[in-house]
Amino acid sequence: MREAGAALKEVFGVVAPLVAPGITTMELNAEIERKIFSLGATAPCKGYEGYPAAACISIDDVVVHGIPSLRRLAEGEIVSVDIVLKLNGFCADATRTYAVGRVSDEKQRLIDVTRRCFYNGISRIRAGARLGDAQHAIQMTAELAGYGVVRAMTGHGIGREMHEDPTVENYGRPGTGPVLKAGMCLAVEPMITMGTWKVKIDSDGWTCRTVDGLPAAHYENTVLVTADGCEILTE
């Protein structure tokens, strides 16, 4: 899992310099796929239940599962890039939301708070803790900042498969949920909206966007539960 996480960090090292006005999301996906394969890894998203690409690339009001296309990134937008790779039989999963050029203060704050949601959530992760403790911390961080927390999409366990138990929601009550054990790996991924938490799915069956058209941000890492905390494998 550490090796897979290290490989995914390399992939994101390629992504960040490419996110700029004018690049198409299809071009960005092609570079991501090329880098994944160059590392001897595979892209589990490609072909998963018919999904056509190596990465999910979601712009502004698209929360997750944006399909790469000829759409060009534009100045002032925010874009979330969600990548999974599999190396030597193990998966790693991470997402970053990037500013495309200069963005509004409101959009930058959304990106920053979403990242803070992740860190506040994992600060509650350790062997013997309840998963609900982390979920509650994510929810409170977002809602106290005035943001919505998406319910329809969640994080998950991860290992030999991209999606494993348990489900990792971004909301919940402390003291509830599965007891965490050392050695478990989780994909923790706050998906936070500027407005309502409610989402809809486009006719393509994949693209998930906010119902009010306001922006969303997404921050994810694969984390390893340890005896006294957790280790981030993809950052």
Side-chain angles (χ1 to χ4, degrees):
M1 290 297 291
R2 289 191 178 101
E3 289 173 356
L8 188 50
K9 285 188 282 189
E10 286 196 49
V11 177
F12 275 102
V14 169
V15 174
L18 294 174
V19 174
I23 192 171
T24 69
T25 55
M26 190 175 288
E27 289 169 336
L28 187 54
N29 177 77
E31 292 301 320
I32 290 167
E33 186 170 326
R34 187 175 295 116
K35 182 63 176 179
I36 289 172
F37 292 161
S38 76
L39 296 169
T42 59
C45 286
K46 191 171 185 179
Y48 176 76
E49 296 186 359
Y51 187 79
C56 299
I57 304 178
S58 306
I59 302 169
D60 273 356
D61 66 318
V62 178
V63 181
V64 286
H65 304 159
I67 299 174
S69 69
L70 296 177
R71 164 82 149 78
R72 295 187 183 277
L73 298 183
E75 182 86 16
E77 292 177 332
I78 59 175
V79 59
S80 299
V81 181
D82 186 355
I83 308 170
V84 184
L85 63 69
K86 191 169 191 176
L87 180 66
N88 298 327
F90 292 92
C91 297
D93 189 357
T95 306
R96 302 287 182 266
T97 298
Y98 300 96
V100 183
R102 296 184 64 181
V103 301
S104 67
D105 291 345
E106 292 79 9
K107 285 185 174 180
Q108 187 59 56
R109 179 174 182 265
L110 176 65
I111 293 172
D112 295 342
V113 170
T114 302
R115 192 169 185 271
R116 192 186 316 147
C117 286
F118 169 82
Y119 282 103
N120 286 354
I122 68 164
S123 72
R124 273 69 171 181
I125 290 178
R126 61 183 54 80
R130 295 274 186 175
L131 184 56
D133 297 344
Q135 296 173 156
H136 180 73
I138 291 169
Q139 180 181 7
M140 289 299 96
T141 303
E143 292 181 349
L144 288 173
Y147 294 139
V149 179
V150 172
R151 267 71 166 167
M153 301 293 172
T154 69
H156 47 89
I158 186 169
R160 293 186 181 274
E161 301 298 330
M162 177 167 54
H163 297 137
E164 298 183 354
D165 290 333
T167 296
V168 183
E169 295 170 333
N170 293 308
Y171 63 96
R173 293 182 292 114
T176 65
V179 175
L180 300 176
K181 298 179 180 180
M184 293 175 69
C185 287
L186 307 171
V188 180
E189 49 180 315
M191 289 161 271
I192 308 301
T193 61
M194 196 176 285
T196 180
W197 54 267
K198 296 180 181 179
V199 298
K200 59 184 178 180
I201 306 297
D202 286 359
S203 59
D204 60 23
W206 285 103
T207 306
C208 173
R209 64 177 76 241
T210 59
V211 299
D212 57 11
L214 291 176
H218 186 187
Y219 193 83
E220 174 187 18
N221 283 295
T222 299
V223 300
L224 168 67
V225 180
T226 65
D228 56 358
C230 69
E231 176 184 343
I232 304 174
L233 303 183
T234 50
E235 187 181 72

